[in-house]
Amino acid sequence: MRDQNLIYDNLVSELRRGTLVLSVLALLRQPQYGYSLIAGLEAFGITIEAGTLYPLLRRLEKQGLLSSEWDVDQARPRRYYALNETGQQTLATLSAEWQRMNAALDQLIQTP
C-alpha cells in the first residue's frame, strides 16, 4: 500500500506540474508579486512552493511572456510581475488548448 501511495503522489505531482504555467499566467493578468501569487494560487487549491515559483517566473520572463518591475515605495521592496502582450496572447492560446484537451479527456474518461 505504501508503494501505491508513493506512485499516486508522484502521478498527482506530474499532473500539477503540467498546469502550473497556465495557472500562473492566468493570475498574472493583474500584476502580482511572488507571495501574492502563492496565496492566489492557494486560494484556488493550487499549491506551489517558492522554490518552484521563482524559477518559473524567471523562465517566463526570459521567454518574453512577462514583464517585471520593482516597487521600492513600500517598507519592503517587491518585484511585481505581469503579462505583457506576448504573454496575453500565449495565455489565450494555452487556455484554448487546455479547453480542447480537457474536453477530450472528459470524453475519454467517461467512455466505458
Side-chain angles (χ1 to χ4, degrees):
M1 186 64 142
R2 188 174 193 189
D3 289 339
Q4 197 63 28
N5 288 339
L6 183 60
I7 291 169
Y8 171 79
D9 290 345
N10 287 336
L11 291 172
V12 168
S13 180
E14 287 181 40
L15 281 173
R16 286 176 171 250
R17 194 175 12 241
T19 63
L20 285 178
V21 169
L22 183 56
S23 301
V24 167
L25 291 177
L27 274 185
L28 286 174
R29 288 177 286 203
Q30 300 295 320
Q32 306 261 347
Y33 59 96
Y35 180 76
S36 68
L37 276 169
I38 291 170
L41 290 168
E42 188 74 33
F44 286 96
I46 300 169
T47 303
I48 187 170
E49 300 291 328
T52 301
L53 177 64
Y54 288 106
L56 175 60
L57 290 171
R58 286 191 294 273
R59 181 170 52 93
L60 293 172
E61 187 172 23
K62 187 175 182 181
Q63 291 172 338
L65 304 178
L66 306 180
S67 58
S68 69
E69 60 183 49
W70 283 96
D71 178 359
V72 293
D73 293 335
Q74 300 187 23
R76 185 171 180 202
R78 292 183 173 148
R79 188 172 190 172
Y80 280 81
Y81 296 87
L83 292 180
N84 57 26
E85 188 175 327
T86 303
Q88 291 172 8
Q89 293 168 355
T90 302
L91 174 59
T93 302
L94 288 176
S95 295
E97 180 61 20
W98 173 261
Q99 295 298 326
R100 186 196 66 73
M101 289 174 59
N102 194 41
L105 282 171
D106 279 345
Q107 284 183 330
L108 183 61
I109 291 168
Q110 298 303 319
T111 301

